[in-house]
Amino acid sequence: MLKIEQLQISYETFVLDLEEIEFPQGMNVILGPNGGGKSSLMKGVIGYGHEGLDRRKIQFGGHPLGKVEGVISYLPQENPRFRIRVGEYLTMTSGSVPERVLDEAVRHFELEPLLGQSIENLSGGEFKRVQCAQVALENKPVIMVDEMEQGLDMNYQHGMMKWLGSEAEGKVVVASMHDAALAMTYADTITLIKDGRAQGPMPSAAVTAEMLSGCYGLPLTVRRQEGVVLVYHNRL
Ligand SMILES: Nc1ncnc2c1ncn2[C@@H]1O[C@H](COP(=O)(O)OP(=O)(O)OP(=O)(O)O)[C@@H](O)[C@H]1O
Ligand SMILES: [Mg+2]
């Protein structure tokens, strides 16, 4: 379990104020409007850009994060690109994993045709798949990904959610997303973040149209059928 006992971040015009948030093992998705605080939550947990932040009240497995460094794989919303071939990049970032495991990740994320290409020249979605492989190879007990579904086509979006779901069988996955339907179809828990405050995590099945409508300030309908969640804007 990843527990945020308390996390406060103050910018000039925005305050993130979180208390008693417990992300259990499984797939935990954070939803919420632009500027709500999703990325700030992740950066605060990682300490990224907030090096002076007191992270003693953020714990993994009952220990403060400062004492268990290296337990989180984190993919920020925006990632810098480097002029390095995909194959070299994966070898470099995967450390000492056996070649068999590296090959399996390359196969799983369909990266064979891209191995000789420069990271700089990949399409947005291709780069995301390389990043997914990197996270898979890091094999850490917590995975935090910020808007990973952006830029992926429908096929790879579902593939990515299924992969995160399989990782979540033994790990704590926290993913921020904008596609509420995709999120609620695959997630174990949903957390809504708006104006720096959180509601949840709650079981995906407990999220109502009223909650989502309030969060986004839009009249929304939620339908659940045949294992799929549909979320749509009510007709005006
Ligand atoms: N380093 C910073 N300095 C000042 N303000 C910041 C900083 N980082 C974020 N903010 C502000 O904090 C608020 C929350 O930003 P955050 O990036 O956490 O939102 P978000 O929920 O991830 O939004 P999005 O869906 O657009 O990615 C925004 O109003 C943003 O302008
Ligand atoms: Mg963000």
Side-chain angles (χ1 to χ4, degrees), residues 102-230:
L102 184 60
D103 290 347
E104 176 50 33
V106 166
R107 242 192 323 276
H108 183 91
F109 295 101
E110 299 177 30
L111 298 175
E112 288 101 333
L114 304 177
L115 287 176
Q117 228 166 290
S118 171
I119 293 270
E120 261 188 337
N121 299 335
L122 298 179
S123 77
E126 288 167 347
F127 183 46
K128 291 269 165 157
R129 274 154 50 209
V130 172
Q131 293 180 298
C132 287
Q134 184 190 335
V135 167
L137 290 165
E138 283 175 0
N139 195 22
K140 293 185 179 171
V142 181
I143 294 177
M144 294 195 105
V145 288
D146 200 350
E147 296 199 19
M148 202 194 226
E149 90 280 17
Q150 296 303 317
L152 291 174
D153 68 33
M154 268 196 278
N155 174 26
Y156 285 118
Q157 278 188 353
H158 284 276
M160 192 266 293
M161 296 305 281
K162 283 183 189 148
W163 165 66
L164 280 179
S166 67
E167 292 280 1
E169 283 170 21
K171 299 180 180 183
V172 178
V173 173
V174 181
S176 99
M177 294 177 59
H178 280 299
D179 187 331
L182 190 69
M184 287 160 65
T185 295
Y186 285 96
D188 297 308
T189 81
I190 298 287
T191 303
L192 302 176
I193 293 201
K194 183 189 183 186
D195 297 333
R197 304 282 195 283
Q199 184 181 9
M202 62 193 122
S204 183
V207 180
T208 64
E210 288 70 28
M211 287 177 193
L212 277 190
S213 300
C215 185
Y216 289 98
L218 278 178
L220 296 170
T221 296
V222 175
R223 292 248 182 280
R224 293 177 169 88
Q225 56 191 48
E226 294 164 16
V228 173
V229 180
L230 304 174

Side-chain angles (χ1 to χ4, degrees), residues 86-94 102 106 111 115 130 133-134 137:
V86 171
E88 290 164 42
Y89 178 77
L90 287 176
T91 311
M92 192 181 81
T93 55
S94 61
L102 184 60
V106 166
L111 298 175
L115 287 176
V130 172
Q134 184 190 335
L137 290 165

Side-chain angles (χ1 to χ4, degrees), residues 11 14 32-40 77 147 178:
Y11 302 125
F14 178 86
N34 291 142
K38 301 177 296 299
S39 298
S40 299
Q77 194 167 337
E147 296 199 19
H178 280 299

